[in-house]
């Protein structure tokens, strides 16, 4: 509305200006016509009369001199041309103003369109900014939660590291433990059946010919009975058999005798002490080889003895307790009863009528 009013005001001003110019031109034309008429009506008589009158009068009155008609026409033409030029200029200005107003209206429409687009972009930007702020708030919250989780993880890592250090310290300073395998075994019983003897020392398993040496000793006593009864104590050595010698002591003592004829005092010969000593060391074969090799000396000898008749007695030294557990497990799986006879280092395998029998499981 403001633009239209300004346009109407400019157009109205131009019309007023042209009206003024037209009125001025009209007045000039009228004056020129009056001057021409007066010039045509004037004559020599009148001029002379005027001169006479002028001369006769004591007071003179100036008479206006009219411009030349040609000059007036020329002036009027020039003014007309100027008016035409001004009219053309005014028309050109009017057209320019009209074009400018049209351009202004076009620009105004474009500005309005751009303003609407700017408003849309501003709304979109506001929405995007709100979304960015919301996302930033979410990220900030997520970042805080992530930092809290990292802090908790660091605390847990520190605790785990401390626990690892404590564990390592305990492992480094704890005493060496011996792991014992818990195997369910039957209740031990005294061995009254036949026994097969083995020695386990230094991780090596060797057969002990206990029965063979006792048979040899019985034959020796039977053969030398008369000689032996003449001495109270008789030491002797038998062997070697399977790498062992039997060192023994026989004693002769008086004892009460009973028979169908009655009772009396007689002499009795008895084994007082016997020990088996190896001829050379080391003896036997490594336990792992003895158990794993089907043709080992241990397995070949074991096949000769039935599980329901023979008990396996193992004379074991302190450095082979682990191997004994492995051997015991192997013999259990084969169905044998096993008896252990622990010995101290330097203590030989020995026997006596005053000794104890093996206890098998």
């Amino acid at each position: 509305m403001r633009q239209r009013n300004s346009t109407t005001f400019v157009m109205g001003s131009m019309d007023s200006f042209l009206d003024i110019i037209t009125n001025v031109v009209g007045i000039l034309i009228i004056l020129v016509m009056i001057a021409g008429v007066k010039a045509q009506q004037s004559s020599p008589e009148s001029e002379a009369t005027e001169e006479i009158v002028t001369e006769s009068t004591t007071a003179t009155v100036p008479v206006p001199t009219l411009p030349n008609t040609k000059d007036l026409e020329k002036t009027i033409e020039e003014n007309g041309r100027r008016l035409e030029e001004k009219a053309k200029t005014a028309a050109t200005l009017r057209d320019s103003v009209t074009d400018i107003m049209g351009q202004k209206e076009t620009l105004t429409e474009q500005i309005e369109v751009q303003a609407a687009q700017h408003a849309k972009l501003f709304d979109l930007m506001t929405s995007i900014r709100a979304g960015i702020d919301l996302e930033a708030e979410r990220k900030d919250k997520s970042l805080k939660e992530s930092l809290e989780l990292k802090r908790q993880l660091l605390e847990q890592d520190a605790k785990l590291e401390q626990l690892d250090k404590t564990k390592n310290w305990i492992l480094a300073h704890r005493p060496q433990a011996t792991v014992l395998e818990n195997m369910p075994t039957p209740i031990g019983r005294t061995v009254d059946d036949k026994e097969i003897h083995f020695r386990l020392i230094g991780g090596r398993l060797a057969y002990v010919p206990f029965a063979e040496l006792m048979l040899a000793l019985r034959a020796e006593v039977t053969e030398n009975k008369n000689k032996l009864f003449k001495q109270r104590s008789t030491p002797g050595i038998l062997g070697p058999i399977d790498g062992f010698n039997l060192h023994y002591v026989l004693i002769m003592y008086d004892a009460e005798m009973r028979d169908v004829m009655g009772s009396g005092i007689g002499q009795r010969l008895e084994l007082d002490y016997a020990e088996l000593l190896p001829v050379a060391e080391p003896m036997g074969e490594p336990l792992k080889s003895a158990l794993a090799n089907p043709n080992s000396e241990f397995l070949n000898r074991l096949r000769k003895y039935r599980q329901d008749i023979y008990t396996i007695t193992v004379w074991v030294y302190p450095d082979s307790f682990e191997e004994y557990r492995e051997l015991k497990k192997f013999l259990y799986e084969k169905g044998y009863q096993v008896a252990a006879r622990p010995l101290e280092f330097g203590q030989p395998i020995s026997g006596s009528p005053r000794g104890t029998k093996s206890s098998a499981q």
Side-chain angles (χ1 to χ4, degrees):
M1 294 298 291
R2 184 178 298 174
Q3 292 173 356
R4 293 177 182 177
N5 291 335
S6 61
T7 304
T8 305
F9 174 76
V10 173
M11 296 299 295
S13 299
M14 292 297 298
D15 292 340
S16 299
F17 175 74
L18 292 175
D19 291 339
I20 292 170
I21 292 174
T22 304
N23 292 331
V24 172
V25 171
I27 292 170
L28 290 175
I29 292 172
I30 292 171
L31 290 175
V32 170
M33 292 177 68
I34 293 172
V37 172
K38 287 183 178 183
Q40 291 177 359
Q41 291 178 355
S42 62
S43 62
E45 295 178 355
S46 60
E47 292 178 358
T49 302
E50 290 179 356
E51 290 178 356
I52 293 173
V53 172
T54 303
E55 289 178 358
S56 61
T57 57
T58 56
T60 60
V61 177
V63 179
T65 303
L66 296 173
N68 192 0
T69 304
K70 291 181 179 180
D71 294 334
L72 288 174
E73 290 178 354
K74 189 176 180 179
T75 302
I76 291 169
E77 288 178 358
E78 291 178 356
N79 291 332
R81 284 196 301 271
R82 291 176 181 175
L83 289 174
E84 288 178 358
E85 291 177 357
K86 290 181 178 181
K88 291 180 179 179
T89 303
T92 303
L93 291 173
R94 183 182 300 169
D95 294 337
S96 299
V97 170
T98 301
D99 293 337
I100 290 171
M101 295 306 297
Q103 294 176 3
K104 183 178 180 181
E105 290 180 357
T106 303
L107 290 174
T108 302
E109 292 177 355
Q110 293 178 356
I111 290 171
E112 290 178 353
V113 172
Q114 291 180 357
Q117 294 177 353
H118 179 74
K120 291 181 179 179
L121 290 175
F122 181 78
D123 293 338
L124 180 61
M125 184 179 67
T126 303
S127 177
I128 293 173
R129 182 173 296 174
I132 292 173
D133 293 338
L134 181 60
E135 187 65 22
E137 184 178 357
R138 291 178 180 174
K139 287 185 177 180
D140 185 57
K141 184 178 179 181
S142 177
L143 180 61
K144 290 180 179 179
E145 293 177 353
S146 177
L147 291 175
E148 179 63 21
L149 289 175
K150 288 182 179 179
R151 185 188 65 80
Q152 294 178 3
L153 286 175
L154 289 175
E155 290 181 355
Q156 295 299 323
D157 289 340
K159 291 180 180 179
L160 287 175
E161 184 178 0
Q162 185 63 33
L163 289 175
D164 288 339
K165 289 181 179 178
T166 304
K167 177 184 175 182
N168 293 333
W169 185 90
I170 292 173
L171 291 175
H173 293 82
R174 71 176 181 178
Q176 187 67 28
T178 301
V179 179
L180 299 177
E181 184 177 1
N182 181 20
M183 294 186 298
T185 59
I187 299 175
R189 63 176 181 83
T190 301
V191 177
D192 293 322
D193 299 330
K194 295 181 179 181
E195 290 183 85
I196 303 300
H197 295 264
F198 290 91
R199 188 191 72 161
L200 190 57
I201 183 172
R204 301 179 73 88
L205 186 65
Y207 174 71
V208 179
F210 208 101
E212 290 85 343
L213 288 171
M214 288 297 106
L215 289 174
L217 178 59
R218 185 173 297 176
E220 179 74 15
V221 170
T222 302
E223 183 179 353
N224 300 302
K225 183 188 305 183
N226 295 329
K227 181 181 177 180
L228 294 174
F229 274 107
K230 294 179 180 180
Q231 301 177 8
R232 288 289 180 179
S233 176
T234 304
I237 299 176
L238 286 175
I241 299 177
D242 291 327
F244 283 90
N245 286 326
L246 177 65
H247 293 247
Y248 64 91
V249 176
L250 296 173
I251 60 173
M252 189 274 296
Y253 62 93
D254 295 330
E256 183 180 358
M257 300 290 183
R258 292 179 180 274
D259 56 16
V260 293
M261 300 297 295
S263 62
I265 301 299
Q267 295 178 333
R268 184 181 292 274
L269 191 65
E270 189 175 80
L271 177 64
D272 182 57
Y273 180 76
E275 62 183 17
L276 284 76
L277 298 177
V279 175
E281 293 287 6
M283 292 185 62
E285 54 192 346
L287 180 65
K288 292 187 179 297
S289 176
L291 300 181
N293 185 3
N295 296 320
S296 66
E297 180 183 352
F298 169 70
L299 293 180
N300 287 332
R301 190 175 295 275
L302 194 65
R303 293 187 186 100
K304 299 177 182 179
Y305 306 105
R306 291 174 51 182
Q307 294 90 332
D308 56 345
I309 297 176
Y310 289 90
T311 298
I312 308 300
T313 298
V314 182
W315 301 81
V316 58
Y317 287 84
D319 62 352
S320 299
F321 287 155
E322 290 292 335
E323 287 80 358
Y324 169 72
R325 278 189 285 270
E326 186 176 354
L327 175 60
K328 182 179 179 181
K329 182 179 179 180
F330 177 83
L331 292 172
Y332 277 171
E333 292 176 354
K334 294 293 184 180
Y336 288 95
Q337 297 290 322
V338 182
R341 301 301 295 262
L343 296 174
E344 295 293 336
F345 285 117
Q347 181 181 359
I349 300 172
S350 61
S352 170
R354 296 174 297 276
T356 59
K357 294 184 178 183
S358 299
S359 177
Q361 294 181 333

